[in-house]
Amino acid sequence: MKDPTRLNPRQILYHYWARWGKWYKYQPLDHIREYFGEKIGIYFAWLGLYTGWLLPAAVVGLLVFLYGVMTINMNTPANEICYTR
């Protein structure tokens, strides 16, 4: 990793935030605001908050979907519709 004191703002954002391997890190909102401006900084702050709030709903949805896939053979109405003779 390069010395952060020798990098320009774009390089700092790239090395510490805007890479696929850094998806789990917190957003450097101050650096984003300084580089892109207030409106884009607020947008990224809102996007991070919104994504964080949607993550538990996505986990619950995935669990419900997996439960439905595992129990499809025991679901009488689904079997009557799908396997009519």
Side-chain angles (χ1 to χ4, degrees), residues 12-32:
I12 290 172
L13 286 173
Y14 177 74
H15 283 291
Y16 295 104
W17 175 62
R19 299 173 111 178
W20 284 107
K22 307 289 184 181
W23 63 270
Y24 59 90
K25 301 238 182 209
Y26 287 108
Q27 297 183 67
L29 295 175
D30 290 333
H31 290 290
I32 294 170

Side-chain angles (χ1 to χ4, degrees), residues 25-63:
K25 301 238 182 209
Y26 287 108
Q27 297 183 67
L29 295 175
D30 290 333
H31 290 290
I32 294 170
R33 183 180 53 83
E34 289 173 12
Y35 186 74
F36 292 108
E38 282 296 317
K39 289 182 180 180
I40 303 299
I42 290 172
Y43 171 75
F44 275 100
W46 166 248
L47 193 63
L49 177 74
Y50 187 65
T51 303
W53 277 95
L54 284 178
L55 189 62
V59 170
V60 170
L62 181 65
L63 293 174

Side-chain angles (χ1 to χ4, degrees), residues 66-84:
L66 291 175
Y67 174 77
V69 167
M70 291 187 306
T71 60
I72 189 72
N73 293 330
M74 295 180 282
N75 188 345
T76 305
N79 286 330
E80 288 176 358
I81 292 172
C82 294
Y83 301 114
T84 57

